Amino acid sequence: MGTLSFIAVGPDGRVALADEAAAELFACPAHELVDRPLADLLSPPDHTGETPTTTFRRPDGTVFTATVTRGTATTTAGPCTTLALRTGASVGAAQSWSAAIVRSARDAIIGESLEGQVTSWNAAAEQLYGYTADEMRGRAMAELYPPETAGEEADILRRISAGESVQVYEAQRIHRDGHRMTVELSVSPVTDADGRIVGAARVSRDVTARHRGEAKFRWLLDATALPIIGVDVDGVIQLANSEAERIFGYAADELEGQPVEVLLPVNVRERHARHRGIYVTDPRMRRMGEGLQLAARRKNGTEFPAEISLASIETDQGLLVAATVHDISARLGQEAEHQRLENELQRSQRLDSLGQLAGGVAHDFNNVLAIISTHASILEEDLEETAGPALDGAREAVAQVLAAAERGARLTRQLLAFGRREIVRPQVFDLNDVVRDVQRMLTGTLGANIVLTADLAMRPAAVSADPGRIEQVLVNLAVNARDAMPAGGSLSVHTDHTVLGAMDAALHGLDRGPYVRLRVADTGTGMTPEVAERAFEPFFSTKAADGQGTGLGLASVYGIVSQAGGTIGLDSAPGVGTTMTILLPAADAAIPAPGEAPGTEPRAGFGTILLVDDERDLRASIETILTRAGYTVISAASGAEAVDLAATYSGRLDLLLTDITMPGLSGREVADQVRALYPAVAVLYMSGFAQRLLTSKGTIDPEVTLIEKPFNRRDLLAAIDEVLRLPV
């Protein structure tokens, strides 16, 4: 009696199982047969036919012949082809062994005739479909099909009869209790000893639960707001949720099977592949590229900044890495905007601090300049009354002193303008008119190689500000532009109207509403970001330290615009040029028609003046000027002393000439108390820093008259004459 041995061959053509008899027949341990290609055991290697005497080759090179009977079975390795090798008449034993495999298989194995009747039905089939073997033998297999798939059975039998095998696929079947279930099945031909096809063998398993789990898993994936990509250890995309489809622009079936690097910028793909290999050696949950700026790539080639988190899970198909991709474009934009606003706030606070410092310096410096100017103007008057060429040098020296004092006064005015502490007398005017005036003034003075153009709004650009100060803004910007274009270029001025909504207004730190926009653009050398950041700071200048610039031009522009209730922005780049954009609130009132104030005859230089100033030297020089002009002067060193003198004075007071900022009583408080005693007295304020007279908008009341320090003799006498001519 011959020997009988068995091996099972998997779908890949390799040995999946071998019994001890097969190990003895091939003269090697059973585990050495497992995973060998069947072709290596055949002689010749390409001979795979089922004949009564198939020749096999052992690992040691020797050969033997055996009769082979082929069948099918499902093992832990999946659906397999069983080969029974007989070296003698052992058919019964082979059939018994094959039957045992069928009975003990975990998958439903069903035999079927070519006419579609069930011929065999194992225990797993009973459990899967709910019918016993006795109930199903002889019945049509098509009874388990849903009505809409009745034609499927005929197609399967046709293919089996032709010698084909139906590979693994999924189908709907009906359980005995009537519910539908999803099964995964394959169908193979069954042959007799002569090789004729006599039936079909079906192997099936219930995958309904798996489908239900997959559906829940897919629902969960699609419900999340973040794109998720599933990648295997080889970097191949196995799944993608709906959010990943949306953000990357691919359909899921387009992504599945693609290398994950298709979703990355081209320049990092090779590096990512190396890092992916490192990750799978320690697949812990963690953030990818910690501390680095990562990017992802859409189907259309555009890229976006991303944060990517990795997690892994073991599946039947091996390790699966889930990459959660978060598009952080909006967050980075918000962070950049927050940083810009933070920088703008710090810059504004820094400029405000500098403005307070500038105002204090200007006040003290103006007092010093006033002393110099008034004493020099007294000396100038004396020299004018003294004839002779011998004093020409002295006259020239006095003129130089007065000119230097005026230069110092211009500097302090710029400091006060930057600090928004300059005294302004706003009026409603058409900004277009000021632009035209400045254009006429600058034409021919900027240089022949600079083209100045103006594009003005069609309707009047009415604003409420000090037109002289706005003119100064335009001149300063034009001079700066000229200096930035040493080889020539173009300078354009543009006005138009705009309305700021809530968001834009908040962005500029302004109230919402209508505004007039003024743009001054040049084609000069431009500024670096570092220079642009400090452009409006006082005394900051990129010009050579040879007296060409004080660093107060743009600082005063900033202060004038801010004091007018507007804002100024700067857009510049090296080699491109600079654009200054100014927003000024549009005025509600109509623009007054041009006209001249009615003239009055000047009064003679006589009357009594109560002079109040805490600066002794300045008070002395003013007293000299007024006395020489014919006025009677009563001097006081403080506000309290002035009130006492007024209370005890028995004559007529024509004018109160008082400093504003003094220790104790301010000039405004002195004026109120003196007017209570002398209602008809005129008041002229003096100050180098008139903060206490300014309204909340930085302007001065129309009824208030003021002479700004420093002043000279002529300025002072002209101001007094004008005040005394005004009706009380």
Side-chain angles (χ1 to χ4, degrees), residues 425 597-603 652 654-655 675 679-685 701-706 718-728:
R425 295 176 174 85
T600 57
E601 290 297 324
R603 296 195 321 184
R652 170 189 172 90
D654 297 286
L655 175 69
R675 275 179 169 160
V681 69
V683 179
L684 176 61
Y685 294 104
D701 292 331
E703 71 274 8
V704 173
T705 54
L706 174 74
I720 291 174
D721 184 61
E722 182 179 357
V723 171
L724 290 177
R725 286 191 287 106
L726 294 174
V728 178

PDB file of all heavy atoms in Angstrom, residues 425 597-603 652 654-655 675 679-685 701-706 718-728:
ATOM      1  N   ARG A 425      -5.459 126.506  14.142  1.00  0.00           N
ATOM      2  CA  ARG A 425      -6.752 127.184  14.019  1.00  0.00           C
ATOM      3  C   ARG A 425      -7.443 126.597  12.795  1.00  0.00           C
ATOM      4  O   ARG A 425      -7.273 127.098  11.682  1.00  0.00           O
ATOM      5  CB  ARG A 425      -6.549 128.691  13.901  1.00  0.00           C
ATOM      6  CG  ARG A 425      -5.957 129.304  15.169  1.00  0.00           C
ATOM      7  CD  ARG A 425      -5.665 130.785  14.987  1.00  0.00           C
ATOM      8  NE  ARG A 425      -5.235 131.378  16.241  1.00  0.00           N
ATOM      9  CZ  ARG A 425      -3.974 131.371  16.684  1.00  0.00           C
ATOM     10  NH1 ARG A 425      -3.036 130.776  15.950  1.00  0.00           N
ATOM     11  NH2 ARG A 425      -3.661 131.939  17.826  1.00  0.00           N
ATOM     12  N   ALA A 597     -11.161 140.114   5.470  1.00  0.00           N
ATOM     13  CA  ALA A 597     -11.756 140.638   6.699  1.00  0.00           C
ATOM     14  C   ALA A 597     -11.782 142.157   6.626  1.00  0.00           C
ATOM     15  O   ALA A 597     -10.854 142.771   6.100  1.00  0.00           O
ATOM     16  CB  ALA A 597     -10.947 140.168   7.902  1.00  0.00           C
ATOM     17  N   PRO A 598     -12.837 142.757   7.154  1.00  0.00           N
ATOM     18  CA  PRO A 598     -12.914 144.229   7.108  1.00  0.00           C
ATOM     19  C   PRO A 598     -11.784 144.858   7.903  1.00  0.00           C
ATOM     20  O   PRO A 598     -11.466 144.416   9.009  1.00  0.00           O
ATOM     21  CB  PRO A 598     -14.281 144.526   7.737  1.00  0.00           C
ATOM     22  CG  PRO A 598     -14.590 143.306   8.553  1.00  0.00           C
ATOM     23  CD  PRO A 598     -13.977 142.166   7.840  1.00  0.00           C
ATOM     24  N   GLY A 599     -11.142 145.886   7.359  1.00  0.00           N
ATOM     25  CA  GLY A 599     -10.005 146.529   8.026  1.00  0.00           C
ATOM     26  C   GLY A 599     -10.464 147.567   9.037  1.00  0.00           C
ATOM     27  O   GLY A 599     -11.532 148.142   8.939  1.00  0.00           O
ATOM     28  N   THR A 600      -9.636 147.832  10.037  1.00  0.00           N
ATOM     29  CA  THR A 600      -9.908 148.872  11.028  1.00  0.00           C
ATOM     30  C   THR A 600      -8.655 149.703  11.205  1.00  0.00           C
ATOM     31  O   THR A 600      -7.543 149.231  10.960  1.00  0.00           O
ATOM     32  CB  THR A 600     -10.307 148.252  12.384  1.00  0.00           C
ATOM     33  OG1 THR A 600      -9.248 147.380  12.817  1.00  0.00           O
ATOM     34  CG2 THR A 600     -11.599 147.456  12.249  1.00  0.00           C
ATOM     35  N   GLU A 601      -8.843 150.914  11.642  1.00  0.00           N
ATOM     36  CA  GLU A 601      -7.706 151.806  11.854  1.00  0.00           C
ATOM     37  C   GLU A 601      -6.967 151.404  13.127  1.00  0.00           C
ATOM     38  O   GLU A 601      -7.592 151.151  14.154  1.00  0.00           O
ATOM     39  CB  GLU A 601      -8.205 153.249  11.990  1.00  0.00           C
ATOM     40  CG  GLU A 601      -8.743 153.833  10.699  1.00  0.00           C
ATOM     41  CD  GLU A 601      -7.661 153.931   9.638  1.00  0.00           C
ATOM     42  OE1 GLU A 601      -6.499 154.224  10.000  1.00  0.00           O
ATOM     43  OE2 GLU A 601      -7.964 153.677   8.460  1.00  0.00           O
ATOM     44  N   PRO A 602      -5.616 151.301  13.078  1.00  0.00           N
ATOM     45  CA  PRO A 602      -4.856 150.974  14.290  1.00  0.00           C
ATOM     46  C   PRO A 602      -4.938 152.092  15.315  1.00  0.00           C
ATOM     47  O   PRO A 602      -4.990 153.265  14.975  1.00  0.00           O
ATOM     48  CB  PRO A 602      -3.432 150.800  13.752  1.00  0.00           C
ATOM     49  CG  PRO A 602      -3.385 151.602  12.508  1.00  0.00           C
ATOM     50  CD  PRO A 602      -4.736 151.534  11.912  1.00  0.00           C
ATOM     51  N   ARG A 603      -4.947 151.714  16.581  1.00  0.00           N
ATOM     52  CA  ARG A 603      -4.951 152.692  17.664  1.00  0.00           C
ATOM     53  C   ARG A 603      -3.526 153.095  17.992  1.00  0.00           C
ATOM     54  O   ARG A 603      -2.579 152.390  17.675  1.00  0.00           O
ATOM     55  CB  ARG A 603      -5.609 152.108  18.920  1.00  0.00           C
ATOM     56  CG  ARG A 603      -7.076 151.779  18.703  1.00  0.00           C
ATOM     57  CD  ARG A 603      -7.838 151.560  19.970  1.00  0.00           C
ATOM     58  NE  ARG A 603      -7.120 150.837  20.999  1.00  0.00           N
ATOM     59  CZ  ARG A 603      -7.667 150.487  22.154  1.00  0.00           C
ATOM     60  NH1 ARG A 603      -8.929 150.760  22.380  1.00  0.00           N
ATOM     61  NH2 ARG A 603      -6.965 149.849  23.063  1.00  0.00           N
ATOM     62  N   ARG A 652      -7.145 152.208  34.981  1.00  0.00           N
ATOM     63  CA  ARG A 652      -7.778 151.416  33.919  1.00  0.00           C
ATOM     64  C   ARG A 652      -6.783 150.382  33.397  1.00  0.00           C
ATOM     65  O   ARG A 652      -5.626 150.704  33.139  1.00  0.00           O
ATOM     66  CB  ARG A 652      -8.224 152.344  32.791  1.00  0.00           C
ATOM     67  CG  ARG A 652      -8.669 151.634  31.521  1.00  0.00           C
ATOM     68  CD  ARG A 652      -8.884 152.653  30.399  1.00  0.00           C
ATOM     69  NE  ARG A 652      -9.126 151.985  29.134  1.00  0.00           N
ATOM     70  CZ  ARG A 652     -10.318 151.641  28.678  1.00  0.00           C
ATOM     71  NH1 ARG A 652     -11.407 151.888  29.414  1.00  0.00           N
ATOM     72  NH2 ARG A 652     -10.446 151.043  27.507  1.00  0.00           N
ATOM     73  N   ASP A 654      -6.044 148.056  30.212  1.00  0.00           N
ATOM     74  CA  ASP A 654      -6.463 147.854  28.825  1.00  0.00           C
ATOM     75  C   ASP A 654      -6.169 146.441  28.321  1.00  0.00           C
ATOM     76  O   ASP A 654      -6.917 145.911  27.495  1.00  0.00           O
ATOM     77  CB  ASP A 654      -5.745 148.870  27.922  1.00  0.00           C
ATOM     78  CG  ASP A 654      -6.123 150.293  28.279  1.00  0.00           C
ATOM     79  OD1 ASP A 654      -7.249 150.688  27.952  1.00  0.00           O
ATOM     80  OD2 ASP A 654      -5.292 150.989  28.904  1.00  0.00           O
ATOM     81  N   LEU A 655      -5.076 145.850  28.823  1.00  0.00           N
ATOM     82  CA  LEU A 655      -4.670 144.546  28.268  1.00  0.00           C
ATOM     83  C   LEU A 655      -4.004 143.708  29.352  1.00  0.00           C
ATOM     84  O   LEU A 655      -3.188 144.227  30.134  1.00  0.00           O
ATOM     85  CB  LEU A 655      -3.684 144.744  27.105  1.00  0.00           C
ATOM     86  CG  LEU A 655      -3.079 143.475  26.496  1.00  0.00           C
ATOM     87  CD1 LEU A 655      -4.139 142.670  25.741  1.00  0.00           C
ATOM     88  CD2 LEU A 655      -1.910 143.817  25.558  1.00  0.00           C
ATOM     89  N   ARG A 675     -10.633 139.408  34.623  1.00  0.00           N
ATOM     90  CA  ARG A 675     -11.840 139.846  33.921  1.00  0.00           C
ATOM     91  C   ARG A 675     -13.010 140.042  34.883  1.00  0.00           C
ATOM     92  O   ARG A 675     -13.929 140.821  34.609  1.00  0.00           O
ATOM     93  CB  ARG A 675     -12.208 138.837  32.844  1.00  0.00           C
ATOM     94  CG  ARG A 675     -11.462 139.083  31.528  1.00  0.00           C
ATOM     95  CD  ARG A 675     -11.807 138.070  30.494  1.00  0.00           C
ATOM     96  NE  ARG A 675     -11.307 138.434  29.172  1.00  0.00           N
ATOM     97  CZ  ARG A 675     -11.134 137.585  28.172  1.00  0.00           C
ATOM     98  NH1 ARG A 675     -11.422 136.295  28.354  1.00  0.00           N
ATOM     99  NH2 ARG A 675     -10.690 138.004  27.001  1.00  0.00           N
ATOM    100  N   PRO A 679     -14.079 143.794  33.447  1.00  0.00           N
ATOM    101  CA  PRO A 679     -14.763 143.055  32.364  1.00  0.00           C
ATOM    102  C   PRO A 679     -14.327 143.487  30.969  1.00  0.00           C
ATOM    103  O   PRO A 679     -14.416 142.702  30.024  1.00  0.00           O
ATOM    104  CB  PRO A 679     -16.243 143.379  32.612  1.00  0.00           C
ATOM    105  CG  PRO A 679     -16.313 143.717  34.074  1.00  0.00           C
ATOM    106  CD  PRO A 679     -15.026 144.435  34.385  1.00  0.00           C
ATOM    107  N   ALA A 680     -13.878 144.726  30.786  1.00  0.00           N
ATOM    108  CA  ALA A 680     -13.542 145.216  29.448  1.00  0.00           C
ATOM    109  C   ALA A 680     -12.092 144.951  29.069  1.00  0.00           C
ATOM    110  O   ALA A 680     -11.674 145.325  27.968  1.00  0.00           O
ATOM    111  CB  ALA A 680     -13.831 146.719  29.364  1.00  0.00           C
ATOM    112  N   VAL A 681     -11.320 144.330  29.940  1.00  0.00           N
ATOM    113  CA  VAL A 681      -9.898 144.143  29.646  1.00  0.00           C
ATOM    114  C   VAL A 681      -9.716 143.129  28.510  1.00  0.00           C
ATOM    115  O   VAL A 681     -10.409 142.115  28.429  1.00  0.00           O
ATOM    116  CB  VAL A 681      -9.136 143.671  30.903  1.00  0.00           C
ATOM    117  CG1 VAL A 681      -9.527 142.258  31.295  1.00  0.00           C
ATOM    118  CG2 VAL A 681      -7.630 143.764  30.684  1.00  0.00           C
ATOM    119  N   ALA A 682      -8.804 143.440  27.577  1.00  0.00           N
ATOM    120  CA  ALA A 682      -8.441 142.499  26.507  1.00  0.00           C
ATOM    121  C   ALA A 682      -7.367 141.546  27.035  1.00  0.00           C
ATOM    122  O   ALA A 682      -6.620 141.895  27.963  1.00  0.00           O
ATOM    123  CB  ALA A 682      -7.930 143.256  25.286  1.00  0.00           C
ATOM    124  N   VAL A 683      -7.294 140.366  26.444  1.00  0.00           N
ATOM    125  CA  VAL A 683      -6.340 139.349  26.907  1.00  0.00           C
ATOM    126  C   VAL A 683      -5.537 138.834  25.712  1.00  0.00           C
ATOM    127  O   VAL A 683      -6.113 138.482  24.670  1.00  0.00           O
ATOM    128  CB  VAL A 683      -7.054 138.169  27.595  1.00  0.00           C
ATOM    129  CG1 VAL A 683      -6.027 137.110  28.034  1.00  0.00           C
ATOM    130  CG2 VAL A 683      -7.871 138.652  28.781  1.00  0.00           C
ATOM    131  N   LEU A 684      -4.230 138.813  25.881  1.00  0.00           N
ATOM    132  CA  LEU A 684      -3.331 138.212  24.887  1.00  0.00           C
ATOM    133  C   LEU A 684      -2.446 137.213  25.622  1.00  0.00           C
ATOM    134  O   LEU A 684      -1.737 137.581  26.561  1.00  0.00           O
ATOM    135  CB  LEU A 684      -2.471 139.283  24.209  1.00  0.00           C
ATOM    136  CG  LEU A 684      -1.413 138.767  23.220  1.00  0.00           C
ATOM    137  CD1 LEU A 684      -2.064 138.012  22.068  1.00  0.00           C
ATOM    138  CD2 LEU A 684      -0.558 139.926  22.696  1.00  0.00           C
ATOM    139  N   TYR A 685      -2.544 135.963  25.203  1.00  0.00           N
ATOM    140  CA  TYR A 685      -1.752 134.914  25.840  1.00  0.00           C
ATOM    141  C   TYR A 685      -0.407 134.757  25.127  1.00  0.00           C
ATOM    142  O   TYR A 685      -0.293 134.977  23.912  1.00  0.00           O
ATOM    143  CB  TYR A 685      -2.488 133.571  25.788  1.00  0.00           C
ATOM    144  CG  TYR A 685      -3.757 133.530  26.612  1.00  0.00           C
ATOM    145  CD1 TYR A 685      -5.006 133.616  25.999  1.00  0.00           C
ATOM    146  CD2 TYR A 685      -3.708 133.384  28.001  1.00  0.00           C
ATOM    147  CE1 TYR A 685      -6.172 133.563  26.742  1.00  0.00           C
ATOM    148  CE2 TYR A 685      -4.873 133.334  28.751  1.00  0.00           C
ATOM    149  CZ  TYR A 685      -6.103 133.434  28.121  1.00  0.00           C
ATOM    150  OH  TYR A 685      -7.251 133.377  28.864  1.00  0.00           O
ATOM    151  N   ASP A 701      -9.760 127.788  20.840  1.00  0.00           N
ATOM    152  CA  ASP A 701     -11.044 128.465  20.645  1.00  0.00           C
ATOM    153  C   ASP A 701     -10.856 129.736  19.819  1.00  0.00           C
ATOM    154  O   ASP A 701      -9.849 130.448  19.964  1.00  0.00           O
ATOM    155  CB  ASP A 701     -11.661 128.830  22.000  1.00  0.00           C
ATOM    156  CG  ASP A 701     -12.085 127.588  22.781  1.00  0.00           C
ATOM    157  OD1 ASP A 701     -12.423 126.582  22.118  1.00  0.00           O
ATOM    158  OD2 ASP A 701     -12.060 127.620  24.021  1.00  0.00           O
ATOM    159  N   PRO A 702     -11.830 130.041  18.945  1.00  0.00           N
ATOM    160  CA  PRO A 702     -11.680 131.209  18.069  1.00  0.00           C
ATOM    161  C   PRO A 702     -11.530 132.520  18.830  1.00  0.00           C
ATOM    162  O   PRO A 702     -10.868 133.439  18.352  1.00  0.00           O
ATOM    163  CB  PRO A 702     -12.982 131.185  17.245  1.00  0.00           C
ATOM    164  CG  PRO A 702     -13.455 129.765  17.308  1.00  0.00           C
ATOM    165  CD  PRO A 702     -13.043 129.267  18.657  1.00  0.00           C
ATOM    166  N   GLU A 703     -12.173 132.624  20.016  1.00  0.00           N
ATOM    167  CA  GLU A 703     -12.105 133.899  20.741  1.00  0.00           C
ATOM    168  C   GLU A 703     -10.790 134.097  21.484  1.00  0.00           C
ATOM    169  O   GLU A 703     -10.531 135.181  22.024  1.00  0.00           O
ATOM    170  CB  GLU A 703     -13.276 134.003  21.733  1.00  0.00           C
ATOM    171  CG  GLU A 703     -13.179 133.070  22.939  1.00  0.00           C
ATOM    172  CD  GLU A 703     -13.743 131.688  22.662  1.00  0.00           C
ATOM    173  OE1 GLU A 703     -14.073 131.420  21.486  1.00  0.00           O
ATOM    174  OE2 GLU A 703     -13.853 130.895  23.624  1.00  0.00           O
ATOM    175  N   VAL A 704      -9.954 133.076  21.524  1.00  0.00           N
ATOM    176  CA  VAL A 704      -8.675 133.173  22.233  1.00  0.00           C
ATOM    177  C   VAL A 704      -7.609 133.728  21.297  1.00  0.00           C
ATOM    178  O   VAL A 704      -7.464 133.267  20.157  1.00  0.00           O
ATOM    179  CB  VAL A 704      -8.239 131.795  22.768  1.00  0.00           C
ATOM    180  CG1 VAL A 704      -6.834 131.871  23.350  1.00  0.00           C
ATOM    181  CG2 VAL A 704      -9.223 131.309  23.816  1.00  0.00           C
ATOM    182  N   THR A 705      -6.885 134.745  21.754  1.00  0.00           N
ATOM    183  CA  THR A 705      -5.772 135.306  20.976  1.00  0.00           C
ATOM    184  C   THR A 705      -4.472 134.912  21.644  1.00  0.00           C
ATOM    185  O   THR A 705      -4.341 134.932  22.867  1.00  0.00           O
ATOM    186  CB  THR A 705      -5.884 136.834  20.881  1.00  0.00           C
ATOM    187  OG1 THR A 705      -5.991 137.377  22.199  1.00  0.00           O
ATOM    188  CG2 THR A 705      -7.087 137.231  20.058  1.00  0.00           C
ATOM    189  N   LEU A 706      -3.492 134.577  20.823  1.00  0.00           N
ATOM    190  CA  LEU A 706      -2.261 133.992  21.343  1.00  0.00           C
ATOM    191  C   LEU A 706      -1.090 134.404  20.470  1.00  0.00           C
ATOM    192  O   LEU A 706      -1.194 134.429  19.241  1.00  0.00           O
ATOM    193  CB  LEU A 706      -2.374 132.461  21.359  1.00  0.00           C
ATOM    194  CG  LEU A 706      -1.120 131.674  21.734  1.00  0.00           C
ATOM    195  CD1 LEU A 706      -0.864 131.769  23.226  1.00  0.00           C
ATOM    196  CD2 LEU A 706      -1.261 130.218  21.306  1.00  0.00           C
ATOM    197  N   ALA A 718       2.828 144.099  17.036  1.00  0.00           N
ATOM    198  CA  ALA A 718       1.748 143.910  16.067  1.00  0.00           C
ATOM    199  C   ALA A 718       0.606 143.112  16.686  1.00  0.00           C
ATOM    200  O   ALA A 718      -0.577 143.414  16.456  1.00  0.00           O
ATOM    201  CB  ALA A 718       2.288 143.190  14.829  1.00  0.00           C
ATOM    202  N   ALA A 719       0.914 142.113  17.491  1.00  0.00           N
ATOM    203  CA  ALA A 719      -0.130 141.302  18.117  1.00  0.00           C
ATOM    204  C   ALA A 719      -0.920 142.121  19.128  1.00  0.00           C
ATOM    205  O   ALA A 719      -2.161 142.029  19.203  1.00  0.00           O
ATOM    206  CB  ALA A 719       0.492 140.081  18.793  1.00  0.00           C
ATOM    207  N   ILE A 720      -0.206 142.965  19.907  1.00  0.00           N
ATOM    208  CA  ILE A 720      -0.893 143.798  20.902  1.00  0.00           C
ATOM    209  C   ILE A 720      -1.802 144.800  20.212  1.00  0.00           C
ATOM    210  O   ILE A 720      -2.952 145.024  20.619  1.00  0.00           O
ATOM    211  CB  ILE A 720       0.136 144.503  21.805  1.00  0.00           C
ATOM    212  CG1 ILE A 720       0.826 143.471  22.707  1.00  0.00           C
ATOM    213  CG2 ILE A 720      -0.532 145.581  22.651  1.00  0.00           C
ATOM    214  CD1 ILE A 720       1.957 144.048  23.526  1.00  0.00           C
ATOM    215  N   ASP A 721      -1.282 145.397  19.135  1.00  0.00           N
ATOM    216  CA  ASP A 721      -2.080 146.375  18.407  1.00  0.00           C
ATOM    217  C   ASP A 721      -3.352 145.744  17.854  1.00  0.00           C
ATOM    218  O   ASP A 721      -4.434 146.331  17.916  1.00  0.00           O
ATOM    219  CB  ASP A 721      -1.235 146.960  17.273  1.00  0.00           C
ATOM    220  CG  ASP A 721      -1.962 148.056  16.527  1.00  0.00           C
ATOM    221  OD1 ASP A 721      -2.315 149.073  17.144  1.00  0.00           O
ATOM    222  OD2 ASP A 721      -2.195 147.853  15.315  1.00  0.00           O
ATOM    223  N   GLU A 722      -3.230 144.510  17.337  1.00  0.00           N
ATOM    224  CA  GLU A 722      -4.405 143.830  16.779  1.00  0.00           C
ATOM    225  C   GLU A 722      -5.421 143.514  17.854  1.00  0.00           C
ATOM    226  O   GLU A 722      -6.634 143.689  17.660  1.00  0.00           O
ATOM    227  CB  GLU A 722      -3.973 142.552  16.058  1.00  0.00           C
ATOM    228  CG  GLU A 722      -5.124 141.805  15.416  1.00  0.00           C
ATOM    229  CD  GLU A 722      -4.675 140.546  14.686  1.00  0.00           C
ATOM    230  OE1 GLU A 722      -3.465 140.286  14.630  1.00  0.00           O
ATOM    231  OE2 GLU A 722      -5.547 139.821  14.186  1.00  0.00           O
ATOM    232  N   VAL A 723      -4.966 143.046  19.039  1.00  0.00           N
ATOM    233  CA  VAL A 723      -5.892 142.695  20.117  1.00  0.00           C
ATOM    234  C   VAL A 723      -6.610 143.932  20.635  1.00  0.00           C
ATOM    235  O   VAL A 723      -7.824 143.909  20.888  1.00  0.00           O
ATOM    236  CB  VAL A 723      -5.136 141.991  21.258  1.00  0.00           C
ATOM    237  CG1 VAL A 723      -6.038 141.829  22.480  1.00  0.00           C
ATOM    238  CG2 VAL A 723      -4.631 140.640  20.799  1.00  0.00           C
ATOM    239  N   LEU A 724      -5.880 145.022  20.777  1.00  0.00           N
ATOM    240  CA  LEU A 724      -6.502 146.234  21.315  1.00  0.00           C
ATOM    241  C   LEU A 724      -7.482 146.849  20.326  1.00  0.00           C
ATOM    242  O   LEU A 724      -8.354 147.636  20.718  1.00  0.00           O
ATOM    243  CB  LEU A 724      -5.424 147.252  21.693  1.00  0.00           C
ATOM    244  CG  LEU A 724      -4.577 146.864  22.914  1.00  0.00           C
ATOM    245  CD1 LEU A 724      -3.494 147.899  23.168  1.00  0.00           C
ATOM    246  CD2 LEU A 724      -5.461 146.718  24.152  1.00  0.00           C
ATOM    247  N   ARG A 725      -7.347 146.494  19.032  1.00  0.00           N
ATOM    248  CA  ARG A 725      -8.306 146.992  18.040  1.00  0.00           C
ATOM    249  C   ARG A 725      -9.578 146.146  17.987  1.00  0.00           C
ATOM    250  O   ARG A 725     -10.564 146.539  17.392  1.00  0.00           O
ATOM    251  CB  ARG A 725      -7.659 147.018  16.654  1.00  0.00           C
ATOM    252  CG  ARG A 725      -6.654 148.150  16.478  1.00  0.00           C
ATOM    253  CD  ARG A 725      -6.233 148.302  15.018  1.00  0.00           C
ATOM    254  NE  ARG A 725      -5.340 147.243  14.567  1.00  0.00           N
ATOM    255  CZ  ARG A 725      -5.715 146.268  13.761  1.00  0.00           C
ATOM    256  NH1 ARG A 725      -6.962 146.189  13.344  1.00  0.00           N
ATOM    257  NH2 ARG A 725      -4.854 145.336  13.375  1.00  0.00           N
ATOM    258  N   LEU A 726      -9.516 144.934  18.550  1.00  0.00           N
ATOM    259  CA  LEU A 726     -10.691 144.065  18.497  1.00  0.00           C
ATOM    260  C   LEU A 726     -11.771 144.585  19.421  1.00  0.00           C
ATOM    261  O   LEU A 726     -11.494 145.081  20.514  1.00  0.00           O
ATOM    262  CB  LEU A 726     -10.311 142.635  18.916  1.00  0.00           C
ATOM    263  CG  LEU A 726      -9.364 141.897  17.974  1.00  0.00           C
ATOM    264  CD1 LEU A 726      -8.960 140.564  18.599  1.00  0.00           C
ATOM    265  CD2 LEU A 726     -10.024 141.664  16.624  1.00  0.00           C
ATOM    266  N   PRO A 727     -13.032 144.446  19.002  1.00  0.00           N
ATOM    267  CA  PRO A 727     -14.126 144.867  19.896  1.00  0.00           C
ATOM    268  C   PRO A 727     -14.209 143.948  21.103  1.00  0.00           C
ATOM    269  O   PRO A 727     -14.025 142.744  20.992  1.00  0.00           O
ATOM    270  CB  PRO A 727     -15.371 144.757  19.019  1.00  0.00           C
ATOM    271  CG  PRO A 727     -14.999 143.755  17.967  1.00  0.00           C
ATOM    272  CD  PRO A 727     -13.535 143.945  17.705  1.00  0.00           C
ATOM    273  N   VAL A 728     -14.479 144.523  22.268  1.00  0.00           N
ATOM    274  CA  VAL A 728     -14.557 143.735  23.498  1.00  0.00           C
ATOM    275  C   VAL A 728     -15.976 143.219  23.656  1.00  0.00           C
ATOM    276  O   VAL A 728     -16.920 143.974  23.520  1.00  0.00           O
ATOM    277  CB  VAL A 728     -14.141 144.589  24.712  1.00  0.00           C
ATOM    278  CG1 VAL A 728     -14.266 143.775  25.989  1.00  0.00           C
ATOM    279  CG2 VAL A 728     -12.751 145.113  24.529  1.00  0.00           C
TER     280      VAL A 728
END
